Amino acid sequence: MSRVMPESWPLPELNEKTRPFFTSGCIMLQICGQCGQTQHPPEDVCFACQFTEFNFAEHQGTGTIYSFTEIVYPIHPNLKAAVPYLVALVSLTDAPDVRILGNLIDISPDEVRIGLSVEAVWSEVRNEPSKDVYLLPQWRRVSKNTA
């Protein structure tokens, strides 16, 4: 599966907080070791209690569209070939207060609506020269066979 963004587009830095999310091939979210708050994006401090120790937990990778937009104007010359494309903010099924932003693929703009059920799919990207492999989440409509 190809990603929407061009191959030359910068990738996020991998560190102890971001590696689980960007390399596991599943929705891995930070969980506070004290209060159990699930949060994304990962941070140094819990949003709820300010504790600083975390675990990561796998989540279903399904949700509903909370908001979306169609990008029609390339804000950078490298994005000229990518427009138009859709970006969705997805509220996760098993962590509804967590919302994850990603490209919406395999759907036309006139079919997208708030509340539409979507699932995460993964685009593998190799970062040169570091050789790190990223599995970037994108979203597509849940197929009728699995809904």
mmCIF file of all heavy atoms in Angstrom, residues 78-120:
data_model
loop_
_atom_site.group_PDB
_atom_site.id
_atom_site.type_symbol
_atom_site.label_atom_id
_atom_site.label_comp_id
_atom_site.label_asym_id
_atom_site.label_seq_id
_atom_site.Cartn_x
_atom_site.Cartn_y
_atom_site.Cartn_z
ATOM 1 N N ASN A 78 6.535 19.794 -2.331
ATOM 2 C CA ASN A 78 6.596 18.328 -2.380
ATOM 3 C C ASN A 78 5.222 17.673 -2.304
ATOM 4 O O ASN A 78 5.090 16.486 -2.574
ATOM 5 C CB ASN A 78 7.467 17.782 -1.255
ATOM 6 C CG ASN A 78 8.937 18.025 -1.487
ATOM 7 O OD1 ASN A 78 9.346 18.467 -2.567
ATOM 8 N ND2 ASN A 78 9.741 17.772 -0.473
ATOM 9 N N LEU A 79 4.208 18.412 -1.915
ATOM 10 C CA LEU A 79 2.861 17.851 -1.778
ATOM 11 C C LEU A 79 1.989 18.071 -3.013
ATOM 12 O O LEU A 79 0.868 17.605 -3.066
ATOM 13 C CB LEU A 79 2.160 18.451 -0.560
ATOM 14 C CG LEU A 79 2.780 18.103 0.779
ATOM 15 C CD1 LEU A 79 2.083 18.853 1.901
ATOM 16 C CD2 LEU A 79 2.739 16.612 1.015
ATOM 17 N N LYS A 80 2.525 18.763 -4.014
ATOM 18 C CA LYS A 80 1.726 19.100 -5.199
ATOM 19 C C LYS A 80 1.116 17.862 -5.860
ATOM 20 O O LYS A 80 -0.053 17.863 -6.246
ATOM 21 C CB LYS A 80 2.571 19.882 -6.200
ATOM 22 C CG LYS A 80 1.768 20.439 -7.343
ATOM 23 C CD LYS A 80 2.595 21.338 -8.221
ATOM 24 C CE LYS A 80 1.718 21.925 -9.311
ATOM 25 N NZ LYS A 80 2.472 22.816 -10.172
ATOM 26 N N ALA A 81 1.882 16.791 -5.980
ATOM 27 C CA ALA A 81 1.370 15.578 -6.633
ATOM 28 C C ALA A 81 0.378 14.811 -5.758
ATOM 29 O O ALA A 81 -0.380 13.991 -6.264
ATOM 30 C CB ALA A 81 2.535 14.664 -7.010
ATOM 31 N N ALA A 82 0.370 15.069 -4.454
ATOM 32 C CA ALA A 82 -0.495 14.316 -3.540
ATOM 33 C C ALA A 82 -1.917 14.868 -3.459
ATOM 34 O O ALA A 82 -2.843 14.130 -3.137
ATOM 35 C CB ALA A 82 0.117 14.288 -2.139
ATOM 36 N N VAL A 83 -2.095 16.167 -3.725
ATOM 37 C CA VAL A 83 -3.430 16.747 -3.582
ATOM 38 C C VAL A 83 -4.323 16.337 -4.742
ATOM 39 O O VAL A 83 -3.826 16.111 -5.840
ATOM 40 C CB VAL A 83 -3.376 18.292 -3.457
ATOM 41 C CG1 VAL A 83 -2.692 18.692 -2.184
ATOM 42 C CG2 VAL A 83 -2.753 18.939 -4.666
ATOM 43 N N PRO A 84 -5.611 16.191 -4.513
ATOM 44 C CA PRO A 84 -6.290 16.285 -3.224
ATOM 45 C C PRO A 84 -6.153 14.973 -2.435
ATOM 46 O O PRO A 84 -6.019 13.894 -3.011
ATOM 47 C CB PRO A 84 -7.746 16.519 -3.601
ATOM 48 C CG PRO A 84 -7.904 15.805 -4.907
ATOM 49 C CD PRO A 84 -6.561 15.952 -5.604
ATOM 50 N N TYR A 85 -6.184 15.092 -1.119
ATOM 51 C CA TYR A 85 -6.205 13.911 -0.249
ATOM 52 C C TYR A 85 -7.019 14.224 0.993
ATOM 53 O O TYR A 85 -7.286 15.388 1.301
ATOM 54 C CB TYR A 85 -4.798 13.417 0.096
ATOM 55 C CG TYR A 85 -3.926 14.392 0.847
ATOM 56 C CD1 TYR A 85 -3.853 14.357 2.234
ATOM 57 C CD2 TYR A 85 -3.144 15.328 0.172
ATOM 58 C CE1 TYR A 85 -3.038 15.248 2.919
ATOM 59 C CE2 TYR A 85 -2.327 16.212 0.850
ATOM 60 C CZ TYR A 85 -2.274 16.174 2.227
ATOM 61 O OH TYR A 85 -1.466 17.048 2.908
ATOM 62 N N LEU A 86 -7.456 13.173 1.683
ATOM 63 C CA LEU A 86 -8.310 13.306 2.857
ATOM 64 C C LEU A 86 -7.523 13.017 4.121
ATOM 65 O O LEU A 86 -6.708 12.089 4.155
ATOM 66 C CB LEU A 86 -9.480 12.322 2.770
ATOM 67 C CG LEU A 86 -10.450 12.543 1.616
ATOM 68 C CD1 LEU A 86 -11.358 11.335 1.455
ATOM 69 C CD2 LEU A 86 -11.273 13.800 1.842
ATOM 70 N N VAL A 87 -7.786 13.793 5.156
ATOM 71 C CA VAL A 87 -7.198 13.580 6.472
ATOM 72 C C VAL A 87 -8.350 13.455 7.458
ATOM 73 O O VAL A 87 -9.296 14.256 7.422
ATOM 74 C CB VAL A 87 -6.282 14.757 6.869
ATOM 75 C CG1 VAL A 87 -5.762 14.571 8.291
ATOM 76 C CG2 VAL A 87 -5.124 14.876 5.891
ATOM 77 N N ALA A 88 -8.279 12.444 8.328
ATOM 78 C CA ALA A 88 -9.345 12.219 9.308
ATOM 79 C C ALA A 88 -8.787 12.199 10.721
ATOM 80 O O ALA A 88 -7.671 11.738 10.954
ATOM 81 C CB ALA A 88 -10.047 10.887 9.018
ATOM 82 N N LEU A 89 -9.574 12.704 11.648
ATOM 83 C CA LEU A 89 -9.319 12.581 13.069
ATOM 84 C C LEU A 89 -10.256 11.488 13.551
ATOM 85 O O LEU A 89 -11.483 11.619 13.436
ATOM 86 C CB LEU A 89 -9.607 13.906 13.775
ATOM 87 C CG LEU A 89 -9.236 14.008 15.237
ATOM 88 C CD1 LEU A 89 -7.736 13.794 15.435
ATOM 89 C CD2 LEU A 89 -9.655 15.361 15.795
ATOM 90 N N VAL A 90 -9.664 10.378 14.032
ATOM 91 C CA VAL A 90 -10.436 9.181 14.357
ATOM 92 C C VAL A 90 -10.505 8.986 15.861
ATOM 93 O O VAL A 90 -9.478 8.983 16.545
ATOM 94 C CB VAL A 90 -9.804 7.943 13.687
ATOM 95 C CG1 VAL A 90 -10.498 6.661 14.114
ATOM 96 C CG2 VAL A 90 -9.853 8.099 12.165
ATOM 97 N N SER A 91 -11.722 8.819 16.368
ATOM 98 C CA SER A 91 -11.963 8.488 17.767
ATOM 99 C C SER A 91 -11.954 6.965 17.874
ATOM 100 O O SER A 91 -12.722 6.284 17.196
ATOM 101 C CB SER A 91 -13.318 9.051 18.205
ATOM 102 O OG SER A 91 -13.591 8.704 19.538
ATOM 103 N N LEU A 92 -11.052 6.419 18.694
ATOM 104 C CA LEU A 92 -10.883 4.974 18.768
ATOM 105 C C LEU A 92 -12.064 4.288 19.462
ATOM 106 O O LEU A 92 -12.615 4.802 20.437
ATOM 107 C CB LEU A 92 -9.599 4.631 19.510
ATOM 108 C CG LEU A 92 -8.310 5.103 18.851
ATOM 109 C CD1 LEU A 92 -7.112 4.704 19.706
ATOM 110 C CD2 LEU A 92 -8.172 4.549 17.447
ATOM 111 N N THR A 93 -12.411 3.096 18.983
ATOM 112 C CA THR A 93 -13.515 2.321 19.538
ATOM 113 C C THR A 93 -13.273 1.993 21.003
ATOM 114 O O THR A 93 -14.161 2.155 21.842
ATOM 115 C CB THR A 93 -13.702 1.009 18.731
ATOM 116 O OG1 THR A 93 -13.949 1.339 17.371
ATOM 117 C CG2 THR A 93 -14.827 0.168 19.291
ATOM 118 N N ASP A 94 -12.074 1.518 21.327
ATOM 119 C CA ASP A 94 -11.802 1.075 22.695
ATOM 120 C C ASP A 94 -11.115 2.132 23.557
ATOM 121 O O ASP A 94 -10.725 1.853 24.690
ATOM 122 C CB ASP A 94 -11.007 -0.228 22.692
ATOM 123 C CG ASP A 94 -9.714 -0.158 21.907
ATOM 124 O OD1 ASP A 94 -9.461 0.866 21.256
ATOM 125 O OD2 ASP A 94 -8.956 -1.135 21.933
ATOM 126 N N ALA A 95 -10.982 3.340 23.054
ATOM 127 C CA ALA A 95 -10.465 4.482 23.822
ATOM 128 C C ALA A 95 -11.043 5.743 23.178
ATOM 129 O O ALA A 95 -10.346 6.501 22.520
ATOM 130 C CB ALA A 95 -8.944 4.503 23.816
ATOM 131 N N PRO A 96 -12.368 5.976 23.337
ATOM 132 C CA PRO A 96 -13.046 7.035 22.584
ATOM 133 C C PRO A 96 -12.533 8.444 22.828
ATOM 134 O O PRO A 96 -12.729 9.324 21.994
ATOM 135 C CB PRO A 96 -14.512 6.906 22.995
ATOM 136 C CG PRO A 96 -14.574 5.898 24.066
ATOM 137 C CD PRO A 96 -13.261 5.211 24.177
ATOM 138 N N ASP A 97 -11.863 8.668 23.959
ATOM 139 C CA ASP A 97 -11.315 10.003 24.215
ATOM 140 C C ASP A 97 -9.999 10.227 23.492
ATOM 141 O O ASP A 97 -9.495 11.349 23.446
ATOM 142 C CB ASP A 97 -11.114 10.218 25.714
ATOM 143 C CG ASP A 97 -12.447 10.310 26.458
ATOM 144 O OD1 ASP A 97 -13.457 10.654 25.819
ATOM 145 O OD2 ASP A 97 -12.465 10.036 27.663
ATOM 146 N N VAL A 98 -9.422 9.161 22.943
ATOM 147 C CA VAL A 98 -8.175 9.271 22.181
ATOM 148 C C VAL A 98 -8.538 9.425 20.716
ATOM 149 O O VAL A 98 -9.326 8.654 20.165
ATOM 150 C CB VAL A 98 -7.277 8.031 22.387
ATOM 151 C CG1 VAL A 98 -6.067 8.075 21.465
ATOM 152 C CG2 VAL A 98 -6.845 7.928 23.839
ATOM 153 N N ARG A 99 -7.936 10.413 20.080
ATOM 154 C CA ARG A 99 -8.180 10.651 18.661
ATOM 155 C C ARG A 99 -6.856 10.649 17.932
ATOM 156 O O ARG A 99 -5.896 11.272 18.376
ATOM 157 C CB ARG A 99 -8.914 11.974 18.476
ATOM 158 C CG ARG A 99 -10.280 11.894 19.141
ATOM 159 C CD ARG A 99 -11.124 13.099 18.918
ATOM 160 N NE ARG A 99 -12.362 12.907 19.639
ATOM 161 C CZ ARG A 99 -12.656 13.528 20.782
ATOM 162 N NH1 ARG A 99 -11.811 14.376 21.318
ATOM 163 N NH2 ARG A 99 -13.814 13.296 21.367
ATOM 164 N N ILE A 100 -6.827 9.926 16.825
ATOM 165 C CA ILE A 100 -5.597 9.785 16.055
ATOM 166 C C ILE A 100 -5.825 10.342 14.655
ATOM 167 O O ILE A 100 -6.791 9.990 13.974
ATOM 168 C CB ILE A 100 -5.148 8.313 16.007
ATOM 169 C CG1 ILE A 100 -4.837 7.839 17.430
ATOM 170 C CG2 ILE A 100 -3.943 8.147 15.092
ATOM 171 C CD1 ILE A 100 -4.371 6.423 17.545
ATOM 172 N N LEU A 101 -4.905 11.182 14.241
ATOM 173 C CA LEU A 101 -4.952 11.814 12.930
ATOM 174 C C LEU A 101 -4.250 10.928 11.911
ATOM 175 O O LEU A 101 -3.220 10.324 12.207
ATOM 176 C CB LEU A 101 -4.232 13.164 13.013
ATOM 177 C CG LEU A 101 -4.303 14.083 11.825
ATOM 178 C CD1 LEU A 101 -5.727 14.576 11.628
ATOM 179 C CD2 LEU A 101 -3.360 15.261 12.029
ATOM 180 N N GLY A 102 -4.816 10.826 10.736
ATOM 181 C CA GLY A 102 -4.161 10.068 9.682
ATOM 182 C C GLY A 102 -4.845 10.285 8.350
ATOM 183 O O GLY A 102 -5.953 10.829 8.279
ATOM 184 N N ASN A 103 -4.174 9.870 7.304
ATOM 185 C CA ASN A 103 -4.759 9.963 5.973
ATOM 186 C C ASN A 103 -5.891 8.965 5.843
ATOM 187 O O ASN A 103 -5.833 7.863 6.381
ATOM 188 C CB ASN A 103 -3.699 9.707 4.912
ATOM 189 C CG ASN A 103 -2.665 10.802 4.884
ATOM 190 O OD1 ASN A 103 -2.988 11.970 4.939
ATOM 191 N ND2 ASN A 103 -1.403 10.421 4.825
ATOM 192 N N LEU A 104 -6.912 9.357 5.123
ATOM 193 C CA LEU A 104 -8.066 8.509 4.848
ATOM 194 C C LEU A 104 -7.922 8.038 3.411
ATOM 195 O O LEU A 104 -7.812 8.854 2.494
ATOM 196 C CB LEU A 104 -9.342 9.321 5.050
ATOM 197 C CG LEU A 104 -10.669 8.609 5.059
ATOM 198 C CD1 LEU A 104 -10.705 7.516 6.107
ATOM 199 C CD2 LEU A 104 -11.783 9.614 5.311
ATOM 200 N N ILE A 105 -7.889 6.728 3.218
ATOM 201 C CA ILE A 105 -7.612 6.185 1.889
ATOM 202 C C ILE A 105 -8.774 5.342 1.388
ATOM 203 O O ILE A 105 -9.636 4.921 2.158
ATOM 204 C CB ILE A 105 -6.307 5.349 1.894
ATOM 205 C CG1 ILE A 105 -6.417 4.169 2.852
ATOM 206 C CG2 ILE A 105 -5.114 6.224 2.264
ATOM 207 C CD1 ILE A 105 -5.280 3.175 2.732
ATOM 208 N N ASP A 106 -8.769 5.085 0.095
ATOM 209 C CA ASP A 106 -9.744 4.209 -0.561
ATOM 210 C C ASP A 106 -11.191 4.651 -0.362
ATOM 211 O O ASP A 106 -12.089 3.823 -0.241
ATOM 212 C CB ASP A 106 -9.572 2.756 -0.098
ATOM 213 C CG ASP A 106 -8.197 2.193 -0.401
ATOM 214 O OD1 ASP A 106 -7.563 2.690 -1.356
ATOM 215 O OD2 ASP A 106 -7.750 1.282 0.302
ATOM 216 N N ILE A 107 -11.406 5.953 -0.344
ATOM 217 C CA ILE A 107 -12.764 6.478 -0.207
ATOM 218 C C ILE A 107 -12.800 7.846 -0.892
ATOM 219 O O ILE A 107 -11.816 8.580 -0.865
ATOM 220 C CB ILE A 107 -13.188 6.572 1.278
ATOM 221 C CG1 ILE A 107 -14.672 6.908 1.400
ATOM 222 C CG2 ILE A 107 -12.305 7.535 2.045
ATOM 223 C CD1 ILE A 107 -15.222 6.732 2.814
ATOM 224 N N SER A 108 -13.926 8.163 -1.505
ATOM 225 C CA SER A 108 -14.045 9.466 -2.163
ATOM 226 C C SER A 108 -14.584 10.494 -1.168
ATOM 227 O O SER A 108 -15.272 10.135 -0.204
ATOM 228 C CB SER A 108 -14.966 9.362 -3.377
ATOM 229 O OG SER A 108 -16.272 9.058 -2.960
ATOM 230 N N PRO A 109 -14.275 11.752 -1.387
ATOM 231 C CA PRO A 109 -14.715 12.789 -0.450
ATOM 232 C C PRO A 109 -16.226 12.818 -0.223
ATOM 233 O O PRO A 109 -16.674 13.099 0.887
ATOM 234 C CB PRO A 109 -14.241 14.090 -1.112
ATOM 235 C CG PRO A 109 -13.087 13.682 -1.961
ATOM 236 C CD PRO A 109 -13.422 12.299 -2.448
ATOM 237 N N ASP A 110 -17.011 12.512 -1.249
ATOM 238 C CA ASP A 110 -18.467 12.559 -1.068
ATOM 239 C C ASP A 110 -19.015 11.399 -0.244
ATOM 240 O O ASP A 110 -20.174 11.413 0.165
ATOM 241 C CB ASP A 110 -19.174 12.651 -2.429
ATOM 242 C CG ASP A 110 -18.874 11.484 -3.342
ATOM 243 O OD1 ASP A 110 -17.749 10.971 -3.315
ATOM 244 O OD2 ASP A 110 -19.786 11.095 -4.109
ATOM 245 N N GLU A 111 -18.198 10.379 0.036
ATOM 246 C CA GLU A 111 -18.628 9.249 0.862
ATOM 247 C C GLU A 111 -18.254 9.401 2.345
ATOM 248 O O GLU A 111 -18.730 8.662 3.185
ATOM 249 C CB GLU A 111 -17.986 7.952 0.356
ATOM 250 C CG GLU A 111 -18.401 7.559 -1.043
ATOM 251 C CD GLU A 111 -17.611 6.367 -1.542
ATOM 252 O OE1 GLU A 111 -16.374 6.481 -1.676
ATOM 253 O OE2 GLU A 111 -18.253 5.315 -1.775
ATOM 254 N N VAL A 112 -17.390 10.351 2.649
ATOM 255 C CA VAL A 112 -16.909 10.535 4.021
ATOM 256 C C VAL A 112 -17.943 11.294 4.837
ATOM 257 O O VAL A 112 -18.567 12.231 4.345
ATOM 258 C CB VAL A 112 -15.575 11.314 4.037
ATOM 259 C CG1 VAL A 112 -15.067 11.483 5.460
ATOM 260 C CG2 VAL A 112 -14.535 10.615 3.200
ATOM 261 N N ARG A 113 -18.132 10.861 6.096
ATOM 262 C CA ARG A 113 -19.029 11.573 7.007
ATOM 263 C C ARG A 113 -18.571 11.360 8.446
ATOM 264 O O ARG A 113 -17.906 10.367 8.751
ATOM 265 C CB ARG A 113 -20.470 11.107 6.829
ATOM 266 C CG ARG A 113 -20.670 9.640 7.122
ATOM 267 C CD ARG A 113 -22.132 9.218 6.996
ATOM 268 N NE ARG A 113 -22.263 7.787 7.045
ATOM 269 C CZ ARG A 113 -22.022 7.001 8.083
ATOM 270 N NH1 ARG A 113 -21.608 7.531 9.203
ATOM 271 N NH2 ARG A 113 -22.179 5.702 8.026
ATOM 272 N N ILE A 114 -18.923 12.275 9.302
ATOM 273 C CA ILE A 114 -18.660 12.135 10.727
ATOM 274 C C ILE A 114 -19.383 10.872 11.208
ATOM 275 O O ILE A 114 -20.525 10.618 10.843
ATOM 276 C CB ILE A 114 -19.184 13.363 11.509
ATOM 277 C CG1 ILE A 114 -18.581 14.652 10.979
ATOM 278 C CG2 ILE A 114 -18.964 13.182 13.008
ATOM 279 C CD1 ILE A 114 -17.111 14.826 11.200
ATOM 280 N N GLY A 115 -18.708 10.057 12.019
ATOM 281 C CA GLY A 115 -19.311 8.839 12.557
ATOM 282 C C GLY A 115 -19.071 7.598 11.709
ATOM 283 O O GLY A 115 -19.422 6.491 12.113
ATOM 284 N N LEU A 116 -18.475 7.749 10.531
ATOM 285 C CA LEU A 116 -18.195 6.599 9.661
ATOM 286 C C LEU A 116 -17.193 5.673 10.345
ATOM 287 O O LEU A 116 -16.189 6.125 10.889
ATOM 288 C CB LEU A 116 -17.622 7.084 8.328
ATOM 289 C CG LEU A 116 -17.318 6.007 7.289
ATOM 290 C CD1 LEU A 116 -18.612 5.398 6.754
ATOM 291 C CD2 LEU A 116 -16.500 6.593 6.150
ATOM 292 N N SER A 117 -17.454 4.378 10.341
ATOM 293 C CA SER A 117 -16.545 3.396 10.938
ATOM 294 C C SER A 117 -15.338 3.180 10.046
ATOM 295 O O SER A 117 -15.481 2.963 8.837
ATOM 296 C CB SER A 117 -17.265 2.059 11.144
ATOM 297 O OG SER A 117 -18.282 2.200 12.110
ATOM 298 N N VAL A 118 -14.150 3.247 10.668
ATOM 299 C CA VAL A 118 -12.898 3.079 9.929
ATOM 300 C C VAL A 118 -11.980 2.126 10.691
ATOM 301 O O VAL A 118 -12.175 1.847 11.874
ATOM 302 C CB VAL A 118 -12.188 4.438 9.697
ATOM 303 C CG1 VAL A 118 -12.977 5.310 8.746
ATOM 304 C CG2 VAL A 118 -11.923 5.167 11.008
ATOM 305 N N GLU A 119 -10.977 1.630 9.956
ATOM 306 C CA GLU A 119 -9.974 0.745 10.554
ATOM 307 C C GLU A 119 -8.596 1.193 10.103
ATOM 308 O O GLU A 119 -8.435 1.754 9.020
ATOM 309 C CB GLU A 119 -10.224 -0.707 10.155
ATOM 310 C CG GLU A 119 -10.148 -0.955 8.663
ATOM 311 C CD GLU A 119 -10.583 -2.352 8.247
ATOM 312 O OE1 GLU A 119 -10.815 -3.201 9.121
ATOM 313 O OE2 GLU A 119 -10.704 -2.576 7.036
ATOM 314 N N ALA A 120 -7.624 0.935 10.964
ATOM 315 C CA ALA A 120 -6.239 1.291 10.645
ATOM 316 C C ALA A 120 -5.663 0.284 9.667
ATOM 317 O O ALA A 120 -5.906 -0.917 9.771
ATOM 318 C CB ALA A 120 -5.400 1.327 11.916
#
